[in-house]
Amino acid sequence: MTSRNTGTDIHSDTTDSRRPEDLGSFVRENKDLLKQYLETRFDILRLKALLAGSRAAGVLAWLFVVMLLVGLVFVFAGMTLGFWLSNVLESPVWGFGVTTLLFILLL
């Protein structure tokens, strides 16, 4: 019984002409492809960092606007409470004094 090599044998002893013999020749043959791959990976990393940075900036801007609005609500609520207590206590000093004490206790 003789064995014939038909080219479909996985364990063939003949080397494929397209197969590089070492890593150096592989890198030389695929230098442009490797460069393009690394540039693409760098672009993906840069875009992910840009996405994270823009999300963080958006959250900080939103937090700033919310804090500004909350501050304005406290200022106008304090003035309203001060004038109302001034009318109830018939003294602006006592009305705004009590309001100031309430805000100090809240802090």
Side-chain angles (χ1 to χ4, degrees):
M1 188 179 221
T2 62
S3 172
R4 290 183 11 190
N5 189 359
T6 61
T8 58
D9 188 15
I10 295 174
H11 303 291
S12 175
D13 288 335
T14 60
T15 59
D16 189 7
S17 63
R18 295 180 356 196
R19 207 167 135 195
E21 295 189 16
D22 62 358
L23 183 61
S25 64
F26 174 77
V27 171
R28 281 190 297 276
E29 290 174 5
N30 296 306
K31 185 177 181 181
D32 292 334
L33 186 61
L34 183 63
K35 183 179 177 183
Q36 183 182 6
Y37 173 76
L38 291 175
E39 286 175 354
T40 304
R41 293 296 296 176
F42 178 72
D43 287 343
I44 290 171
L45 182 64
R46 184 179 57 85
L47 289 173
K48 283 183 179 180
L50 185 63
L51 178 66
S54 63
R55 281 185 180 168
V59 167
L60 287 176
W62 179 248
L63 186 63
F64 176 74
V65 168
V66 168
M67 294 303 288
L68 180 69
L69 292 176
V70 167
L72 285 173
V73 165
F74 272 111
V75 166
F76 286 113
M79 289 175 59
T80 303
L81 182 63
F83 282 119
W84 181 72
L85 285 176
S86 295
N87 193 17
V88 169
L89 298 175
E90 298 177 356
S91 171
V93 175
W94 279 102
F96 281 96
V98 170
T99 303
T100 302
L101 287 176
L102 285 173
F103 274 115
I104 289 174
L105 291 175
L106 285 176
L107 293 177

